[in-house]
Amino acid sequence: MPPQPSSRPSWWSWGMSEIWTTTQLVTVADITMGQSPDSSACNVDEVGLPFLQGCAEFGTRYPTPEIHCFPPLRIAKSDSILISVRAPVGQMNWSDQEYCIGRGLGSIKARAGIANTNFLRHALEQNIQFLHRRSQGSTFLAVGANDLKLFPIPDISETKQERIASILDTIDQAIEKTEALIHKYQQIKAGLMHDLFTRGLTADGKLRPPREQAPELYQETPIGWIPEVWDWGPLSKYLNGSPKNGYSPREIDVWDGCYALGLGCLTSCGFKALQLKSVPGSMAATSGALLEEGDFLVSRANTPQLVGLCGIYRNIGALCIYPDLMMRIRTNELIYDKFLEQYLLSDEVRIRLTALAVGTSSSMVKLNSKSLLNFRVAAPREEEQELIIRRSNEIFNFITKLEDNLAKLTQQKSGLMHDLLTGKVPVTIHPRGLDESATAEDFSVVQMEGSREVKQLKDKE
């Protein structure tokens, strides 16, 4: 469903419906299917053209090849679309130069004077399910040249294509900028968490000197060097009782007054209501898994990268239970919930915690209650915990703000693509020109680099 009018940029206007017909991709573009060269033609000496066998070398926008090929067999031209034709089908990159392409890829370039290559990229993305449907039913998911040739493309003028591509490029740039900021501040967060949970903060809110400069301020423990004044021990020392598993009733298609959390609700920044499932409301009260504001949850089963993620539940405005693949724990007076959450989410602590997960499947491992209770943690005094919580909250909240903005941009792009690439909701561009009327600010991109939050974070680095 298209987004509501209130969410559209200021230059957007409604018009009469103009449902576009489609044409086949082969009529507007040159399509090249890759072919694998002999291994003797491949080299690491940069002889010939950079070689791409499949999408493994795809980057955010451009590929990052590791080997070259001479002589090249099939060539993707510069400024063409690179598309994966073998599992995972449909992933795309942009060729910033000529590449030799293997059988896992195809390349697409619009014919001059007929179509716009960038527009074709957006049209492929918007209807990529066309290829996914054609790749089903075989042991190894793949599509062939005919599948690409038959791909339906809006049959509109090149001028309209260029305008639509420019609008979608603008929101893509806003998305890429936000993703880059998230990556940057995730790295800053990792460094900050390392310092906070190994050096701590003095009463005036400053980091203690490193152990190399003031060894007398630190003690050696089985979990590493920590400040001398800190306590440490098994997690059971800081809990009231044992972890309790949740309950997973069958999911239903209709709303019955209760949700169950999905594992996706526990993230690297704590709890987020990202994955909710409707379940029978009659089971909520009797399941023993009904959640209350402030409940501390830990993922006990997930992939090796995600197991052990935790978060503090916040009321979502409806009855909610947690699933069997999560555990609920309750802390005692020795440790704050928020401190424990941020401690368990720090990179070095997560390495220790995920190492305890066991399982025969490479896609699903489990933490048992005994391992969690015996897991060793560090705990400063109450006053220092409060200081650390305040400091770490700043960057956690900042990253959450970025991620929320990214989700809004992604949703807005989905609505724009639906409207622009079907003709169901036409738009008009002000006469002053596209580049002036459609800007990143129109898509609500938060200009984080100049914000008050960033300046405060940088002042404390």
Side-chain angles (χ1 to χ4, degrees), residues 246-248 263 298-302 323-327 364 366:
Y247 175 65
S248 297
L263 286 176
V298 181
S299 167
R300 73 178 188 90
N302 211 322
D324 179 60
L325 298 182
M326 292 184 189
M327 295 182 279
M364 180 69 76
K366 294 183 178 181

Side-chain angles (χ1 to χ4, degrees), residues 61 81 94 110 116-123 161 165-166 169:
R61 177 178 287 268
I81 302 162
W94 193 260
N116 178 279
T117 305
N118 218 15
F119 171 83
L120 297 182
R121 176 175 63 87
H122 293 298
Q161 290 185 23
S166 295
D169 285 349

Side-chain angles (χ1 to χ4, degrees), residues 130-131 141 162 290 353 436 451 460:
F130 176 86
L131 295 182
L141 298 182
E162 290 173 353
L290 189 62
L353 184 59
E436 294 179 1
S451 70
K460 293 177 180 179

Side-chain angles (χ1 to χ4, degrees), residues 5-204:
S6 60
S7 68
R8 301 184 189 281
S10 59
W11 42 265
W12 188 280
S13 67
W14 293 88
M16 295 181 61
S17 179
E18 182 190 356
I19 307 302
W20 291 330
T21 59
T22 61
T23 186
Q24 295 174 348
L25 181 61
V26 69
T27 66
V28 297
D30 295 320
I31 301 170
T32 302
M33 303 299 290
Q35 180 179 341
S36 296
D38 190 274
S39 59
S40 61
C42 299
N43 66 87
V44 294
D45 301 319
E46 300 187 1
V47 177
L49 288 179
F51 173 62
L52 304 171
Q53 177 61 40
C55 63
E57 294 90 5
F58 279 7
T60 303
R61 177 178 287 268
Y62 306 114
T64 54
E66 296 180 356
I67 61 176
H68 281 60
C69 178
F70 182 82
L73 297 181
R74 299 288 174 83
I75 298 175
K77 297 178 181 178
S78 179
D79 293 326
S80 63
I81 302 162
L82 299 167
I83 184 167
S84 174
V85 295
R86 293 193 165 200
V89 171
Q91 288 194 8
M92 288 183 281
N93 247 200
W94 193 260
S95 61
D96 53 332
Q97 63 178 84
E98 287 190 342
Y99 288 97
C100 172
I101 53 174
R103 63 189 304 183
L105 297 178
S107 75
I108 302 164
K109 185 160 186 173
R111 292 176 188 159
I114 298 177
N116 178 279
T117 305
N118 218 15
F119 171 83
L120 297 182
R121 176 175 63 87
H122 293 298
L124 285 162
E125 180 183 351
Q126 195 266 342
N127 192 24
I128 201 65
Q129 288 298 324
F130 176 86
L131 295 182
H132 290 170
R133 289 191 297 269
R134 287 174 171 264
S135 69
Q136 294 174 359
S138 61
T139 304
F140 187 80
L141 298 182
V143 293
N146 285 337
D147 299 313
L148 285 181
K149 290 177 180 178
L150 296 175
F151 195 99
I153 297 294
D155 189 11
I156 58 176
S157 69
E158 188 178 10
T159 300
K160 281 187 177 180
Q161 290 185 23
E162 290 173 353
R163 289 185 175 183
I164 290 171
S166 295
I167 295 171
L168 295 176
D169 285 349
T170 301
I171 196 167
D172 273 349
Q173 291 164 12
I175 288 172
E176 289 175 13
K177 179 176 181 179
T178 307
E179 289 174 336
L181 284 174
I182 290 172
H183 178 70
K184 173 181 177 180
Y185 284 96
Q186 287 283 13
Q187 291 179 314
I188 293 174
K189 184 192 80 171
L192 176 63
M193 294 299 102
H194 170 79
D195 288 342
L196 290 178
F197 295 120
T198 57
R199 293 164 58 185
L201 298 172
T202 57
D204 59 358

